[in-house]
Amino acid sequence: MAGVALLACLGLVGYGMLDAGERPKPRAAPTAEVTYEVTGTGTAEISYLARSADGTATVEKDVTLPWRKSVRAPLGKAPTVAVLLDGKGGQAACTLAIRGRHVQRATAMGEFGRATCSGEVLSGGGEG
């Protein structure tokens, strides 16, 4: 009787080990393509949201304009690009496109001028 119980336990453990390999891998969060663009002349600090689970922004300093970046942004997050002109001033415009569709444009002017463009990434593009 003890031998039968031992074989049954070993069989269950073996099945559990085999079964572990058949479990589906966790899927990555669905995303959509987002294109950020800053036009103008001079240098600026640019911050933008990319594929980040914690929602932190990426900051690039002393960027020579014009600048463009395409990233994958998670659904349900608000992709945002912000531009801050340096002390020399000037003029710059940020634009945001989600899945190739223009969403917003804003302009920064003068010394330390600021502009922010944001949008919403909704499901429904078949991307991921």
Side-chain angles (χ1 to χ4, degrees), residues 60-84:
E60 295 188 18
K61 297 181 182 234
D62 299 320
V63 175
T64 300
L65 302 178
W67 173 91
R68 181 183 174 107
K69 179 78 102 178
S70 290
V71 299
R72 305 290 305 174
L75 298 183
K77 298 287 184 185
T80 302
V81 61
V83 58
L84 171 62

Side-chain angles (χ1 to χ4, degrees), residues 12-27:
L12 288 174
V13 169
Y15 177 77
M17 293 174 86
L18 291 174
D19 185 46
E22 296 176 12
R23 291 189 183 143
K25 295 179 183 178
R27 290 188 66 197

Side-chain angles (χ1 to χ4, degrees), residues 1 4 10-11 14 16 26 35-36 41-42 44 46 50 56 63 75 83 90 93 98 112 116 120 122 124:
M1 191 70 132
V4 172
L10 288 175
T35 302
Y36 303 116
T41 57
I46 299 171
T56 58
V63 175
L75 298 183
V83 58
I98 299 173
F112 304 106
T116 303
E120 189 174 353
L122 302 172

Side-chain angles (χ1 to χ4, degrees), residues 100-123:
R101 189 175 145 259
H102 177 75
V103 176
Q104 191 175 40
R105 177 184 171 91
T107 303
M109 294 177 16
E111 293 178 12
F112 304 106
R114 296 173 183 258
T116 303
C117 293
S118 63
E120 189 174 353
V121 179
L122 302 172
S123 61

